[in-house]
């Protein structure tokens, strides 16, 4: 990853550099930024990206700005070393290394979100694991892993700024759908923009409900059999929620 | 219940097939969908139905869509085997079997709601029962029952998709006004659309208050005498809340 | 108190029957209804009244309706036996006996509110008393009293519908500013409409903060000396909050 | 500090009396008032000030009013003895002594906020200290100090009204970024208006998350090394949040 001051054009033998961006993909990413802001899953910080559907070694992400304000013209392409394709780009998220490293480690992943969802923070700083309360949260499995940056280095920075830290985070993520970051936030992944948006919104509500349930005594989570079943299933009507969320966040007919 | 792909017209000897829908009933169902969405009792998922007032073996429910977006034209009739009256309907809720089985088991029930109300989920996954904090929640009785789908089958699916599962749920509901579904949500019933809406909104606030009360030490719930008294009474002015809720959800004069 | 169906005109030798209502008083009561609704301290139920400033044996209250929808034309006069001054009024709150009994028992009280403020309900059903966290809540004293209607009768009705119940409630209130009602809600009193609105809003936030504080361990409340000091003081700028709340609830310049 | 009734013009040999106010500074203060109100960090009470960038012995603050309603014309200059520069000003915050004493004790401080942020109150009345959950809250250090006004006098007033009380508070603040006030609220300081706004918003969310985390068992806070690292760093893009918050609070392009 080059520094923000002197970005280097991507040189990538394995796949073509993306040319004209796909308007539908950009619109989907804009909607994702707005929906996640509307749900309070993103605030002024955090970022969502999508792997280019043709050139698998590139991804699309907004310039450094508040997600609620992102428009299609703010979205740029980076290679998997997190260098912008177009020379001269400077307003870049310094934690974008999260995205490149996950796309390298997880060929199945088509979208990545880094955020600081309010109800997830308590689980980042606890020995109690975030576990699924309902079927739609089954992607949390036996409990979301927590990445402790001190396993990579102990300089005191909690942000994921370099390749070693991002590799450590990707290793903690493993084959899970979401990894919590101690003292920091979370990273969610999915096979599409819509899946990662859905996972982030469900993780937030599940976390809140799990904390409330702790007030009532021991909590019964999904069984192993229920987790396995849900993972095998496709959601029956995944676009139903997307349409509602998009209308609420953006308005108009969708 | 036929599959979504090839619906079968209802053949129902016991009652007439509903012809032209009653505009007032449809308007009431639309309002219920909007009010429950406005209160956060319904989100993108869940559904409310009303038994046909003339043809007791039919009920009205929206096509599969987010409740907040439902209009009168989206509401269709099904028989108590959950087959749509009009041939060719395909966009149906796969969990509509909940409605037909309850209307069969409970002749007194005129409206059914299935939802995933956020403050109810902790009680779905706890040994602590949801109990009435105030008189308007007396329909919760000595505690809402919890249906565990594993009492029917243990394949790992938490959704209520077939007749056996729905019969199990209806049995757990018994003569109660609301049944919780482990790892899933809730089903509320009533003698009218307005009563079921009222019950769902009160259940949500009661659940939140019961969890908060647990922070303060032992909780004193309604006494048996108070529960019995409240069940015998009609609410003094049930339409007062409905008018307010409808104005907030839809606007205009009501 | 006559029944709703056949109201009796007030015959009150001790003070003149109020004639033309004071427009400023009505406007203040309308604002109070809107402000309390806007804060979630009132929902579809509950009512606020003001003693007539000239005829001390009469009070003003809206007809039975959702507080958020009250306008000046909806406000009527009742005597302290809770009979409407104008013959033929029928849409009356059945719990208005609360108001008359308090005005009789507490000559200092100029405004009365009955509500079901969400964060107060847990304290209605707990042995933990609601106590002041900050100076503005000092009116809660050493802890708000809780009225248990079973001390009057044990028929199972939690509502305050007759004089005996209201007298019991007024006795529990004593010289306090607020009394909680077991399994029901609260009644707040004050020397003006603005004071009772202020107390109800502060009671709600104080209750929420006290429950949260319980999560952190033992809670330190105001000392006896601080409670006494605050009771002796007038609020420095009581209209500052009123102006803000009114603008938010009603809009326009205030 | 003169009384509100007879303000005295400032006589300050050490620095020039500010003449024409800086429009950019006033706009920044107006935005801060609106943003903090929009976040619920300020309600009808509380106040934010900024030290004059040229005349270090003067600061700017609104007249006594709800922060949400403040405009540029409502902002006046005071000297560090809290006397208004312009003779005849009477609508002043009686707790403005907080500002003058901090500017005297802390030459590094350029902005001061006094508020009653809802999630901070529980920590004001607890032995559990408010500690950083995430890197952006590292300014809370090993735990925010709590000022108990009884260490100065025990007359029962919780407000900070005189120099002795304000000096006690400033001593408790020490070199911290925020001090809690027992039974009252908080005071936050910063090297700019934007930093103090940022700290107040983060303190509120951190407090809420710390209370929720307590539900899950022992809480892991930032390590000493992480606190020290964060204190050495400048935030990477501090204006990103400001732009978003300002647009939400005020609207228009920012």
């Amino acid at each position: 990853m080059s520094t923000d001051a002197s970005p280097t054009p991507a040189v990538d033998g394995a796949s073509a550099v993306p040319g004209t961006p796909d308007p539908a993909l950009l619109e989907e990413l804009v909607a994702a930024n707005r929906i996640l802001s509307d749900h309070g899953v993103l605030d002024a910080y955090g970022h969502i990206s999508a792997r280019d559907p043709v050139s698998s070694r590139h991804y699309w992400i907004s310039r450094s700005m508040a997600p609620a304000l992102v428009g299609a013209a703010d979205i740029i392409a980076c290679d998997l070393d997190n260098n912008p394709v177009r020379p001269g780009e400077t307003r870049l998220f310094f934690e974008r290394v999260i995205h490149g490293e996950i796309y390298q480690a997880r060929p199945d992943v088509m979208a990545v979100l880094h955020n600081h969802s309010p109800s997830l923070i308590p689980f980042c700083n606890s020995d109690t694991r975030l576990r699924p309360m309902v079927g739609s949260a089954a992607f949390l499995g036996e409990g979301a892993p927590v990445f402790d940056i001190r396993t990579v280095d102990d300089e005191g920075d909690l942000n994921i700024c370099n390749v070693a830290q991002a590799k450590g985070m990707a290793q903690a993520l493993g084959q899970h759908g979401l990894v919590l970051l101690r003292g920091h936030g979370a990273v969610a992944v999915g096979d599409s923009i819509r899946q990662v948006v859905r996972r982030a919104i469900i993780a937030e509500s599940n976390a809140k409900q799990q904390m409330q349930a702790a007030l009532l005594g021991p909590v019964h989570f999904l069984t192993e059999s229920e987790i396995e079943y849900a993972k095998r299933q496709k959601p029956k009507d995944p676009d139903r929620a997307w349409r509602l969320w998009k209308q609420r966040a953006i308005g108009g007919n969708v």
Side-chain angles (χ1 to χ4, degrees), chain A residues 188-203:
Chain A
V189 300
D191 62 15
S192 68
I193 293 172
R194 295 190 184 193
Q195 192 188 55
V196 82
V197 166
R198 185 181 169 86
R199 284 178 169 178
I201 289 172
I202 289 170

Side-chain angles (χ1 to χ4, degrees), chain A residues 105-109 139 145 170-178 189 199 231:
Chain A
R106 288 277 299 269
D108 60 309
V109 166
F139 72 91
Q171 192 167 10
L173 171 65
Q175 294 305 307
H176 289 84
L178 182 138
V189 300
R199 284 178 169 178
K231 285 184 173 175

Side-chain angles (χ1 to χ4, degrees), chain A residues 26-67:
Chain A
L26 297 190
E27 186 194 330
E28 194 91 342
L29 259 182
V30 168
N33 274 284
R34 302 285 181 91
I35 288 168
L36 292 168
S37 299
D38 190 50
H39 276 77
V41 167
L42 284 174
D43 51 16
Y45 298 91
H47 20 89
I48 183 169
S49 71
R51 193 195 290 265
D52 188 273
V54 176
S55 169
S56 66
R57 293 193 57 79
H58 290 90
Y59 67 89
W60 296 86
I61 193 169
S62 83
R63 292 194 189 87
S64 174
M65 60 190 301

Side-chain angles (χ1 to χ4, degrees), chain A residues 9-198:
Chain A
V11 179
D12 181 14
S15 59
V17 174
T20 313
D22 176 4
L25 180 75
L26 297 190
E27 186 194 330
E28 194 91 342
L29 259 182
V30 168
N33 274 284
R34 302 285 181 91
I35 288 168
L36 292 168
S37 299
D38 190 50
H39 276 77
V41 167
L42 284 174
D43 51 16
Y45 298 91
H47 20 89
I48 183 169
S49 71
R51 193 195 290 265
D52 188 273
V54 176
S55 169
S56 66
R57 293 193 57 79
H58 290 90
Y59 67 89
W60 296 86
I61 193 169
S62 83
R63 292 194 189 87
S64 174
M65 60 190 301
L69 307 179
V70 167
D74 300 310
I75 297 174
I76 61 171
C78 290
D79 64 28
L80 297 198
D81 294 321
N82 305 292
N83 294 308
V85 167
R86 199 166 68 171
E89 292 285 359
T90 52
R91 288 175 39 224
L92 305 173
F93 291 116
F94 70 91
E95 284 191 303
R96 68 192 183 281
V97 65
I98 291 169
H99 300 261
E101 285 304 317
I102 288 179
Y103 289 124
Q104 291 195 38
R106 288 277 299 269
D108 60 309
V109 166
M110 294 302 285
V112 174
L113 169 71
H114 169 46
N115 71 346
H116 317 87
S117 193
S119 300
L120 295 185
I121 302 298
F123 289 92
C124 297
N125 296 356
S126 172
D127 294 329
T128 299
R129 299 189 74 177
L130 178 66
R131 296 178 63 185
M133 300 282 287
V134 292
S136 58
F139 72 91
L140 295 172
E142 298 295 329
V146 182
F147 171 62
D148 189 335
I149 200 166
R150 289 178 297 182
T151 57
V152 178
D153 60 48
D154 199 7
E155 296 181 4
D157 191 357
L158 286 154
N159 293 309
I160 296 175
C161 305
N162 62 45
V163 170
Q165 293 164 342
K167 278 191 193 299
M169 177 274 302
Q171 192 167 10
L173 171 65
Q175 294 305 307
H176 289 84
L178 182 138
V179 62
L180 299 169
L181 314 176
R182 188 187 60 81
H184 183 180
V187 175
V189 300
D191 62 15
S192 68
I193 293 172
R194 295 190 184 193
Q195 192 188 55
V196 82
V197 166
R198 185 181 169 86

